[in-house]
Amino acid sequence: MDKTLVEKMIELAMEQLKFSYAPYSHFLVGAVLLGKNGKFYTGCNIENAAYTPSNCAERTAFFKAVSEGERAFQAICIVGGKEGILTEYAAPCGVCRQVMMEFCDPDTFQIILATAKEQYEIFTLKELLPMGFGPNNLS
C-alpha cells in the first residue's frame, strides 16, 4: 500500500478520536475504512452504560459504508488508546474481525494499526483471523 495513502488514513483515524464516546473505559478509538470506490468512511467507538449496545470504531465505519451502499473494501486503519494517548496498537476485537470477514477478502484486505504517522504495521485480515468463517463457507 502506498505510504502517502497510509499516512492519510492514519491522520483521518486520529481525527476520529475526538468524536469517540467512551465515558466508561476512557479508551478512545478511531478508524477509517477505504472502499474500493476510493471513498473514506470514518468511525469512532460509542460506549453505552449497558455495555452490550456499545459499538467499536471499526464497525461504526463499516456500518456507515454499508448503509451508503458500499460493499467492497481495500483497507482499514485503526488507532486507539486510554484517554486517546496512542501508546500501543489497538487491534480489532473478534466481533470486528468477523464483520470484516463478511465484506472483505481475507487474503487482500489490509488492516493498518498505528500509534503515529511514522509508526504503523499492516496486516491482512487472514493474518489476524486465520481460518475465519465467512460467506464462502455457506456456498
Side-chain angles (χ1 to χ4, degrees):
M1 184 167 231
D2 176 70
K3 183 178 167 117
T4 304
L5 180 57
V6 170
E7 290 177 351
K8 173 72 173 167
M9 290 181 71
I10 293 169
E11 283 179 20
L12 288 170
M14 288 177 165
E15 287 177 21
Q16 295 310 300
L17 294 171
K18 66 184 172 197
F19 301 116
S20 178
Y21 178 75
Y24 308 107
S25 72
H26 304 283
F27 195 93
L28 311 182
V29 182
V32 62
L33 177 63
L34 176 60
K36 287 196 176 176
N37 62 1
K39 186 174 177 185
F40 293 116
Y41 301 90
T42 58
C44 64
N45 58 323
I46 305 165
E47 293 181 349
N48 187 286
Y51 295 108
T52 302
S54 296
N55 203 49
C56 298
E58 302 92 305
R59 283 183 283 140
T60 299
F62 267 95
F63 296 161
K64 283 170 67 175
V66 171
S67 73
E68 293 179 22
E70 184 61 33
R71 300 287 191 278
F73 305 100
Q74 297 180 51
I76 191 167
C77 177
I78 308 159
V79 300
K82 195 76 166 178
E83 305 298 341
I85 300 167
L86 311 180
T87 57
E88 58 187 65
Y89 295 139
C93 74
V95 174
C96 288
R97 294 176 199 204
Q98 186 61 46
V99 168
M100 291 175 198
M101 191 71 191
E102 183 69 22
F103 295 102
C104 306
D105 179 342
D107 292 315
T108 61
F109 184 71
Q110 296 184 320
I111 300 167
I112 304 159
L113 305 179
T115 56
K117 275 178 53 174
E118 314 77 31
Q119 183 63 44
Y120 62 88
E121 289 190 46
I122 301 175
F123 303 90
T124 63
L125 177 55
K126 189 169 189 169
E127 288 175 309
L128 297 186
L129 187 63
M131 298 179 67
F133 185 86
N136 290 338
N137 294 99
L138 298 176
S139 297

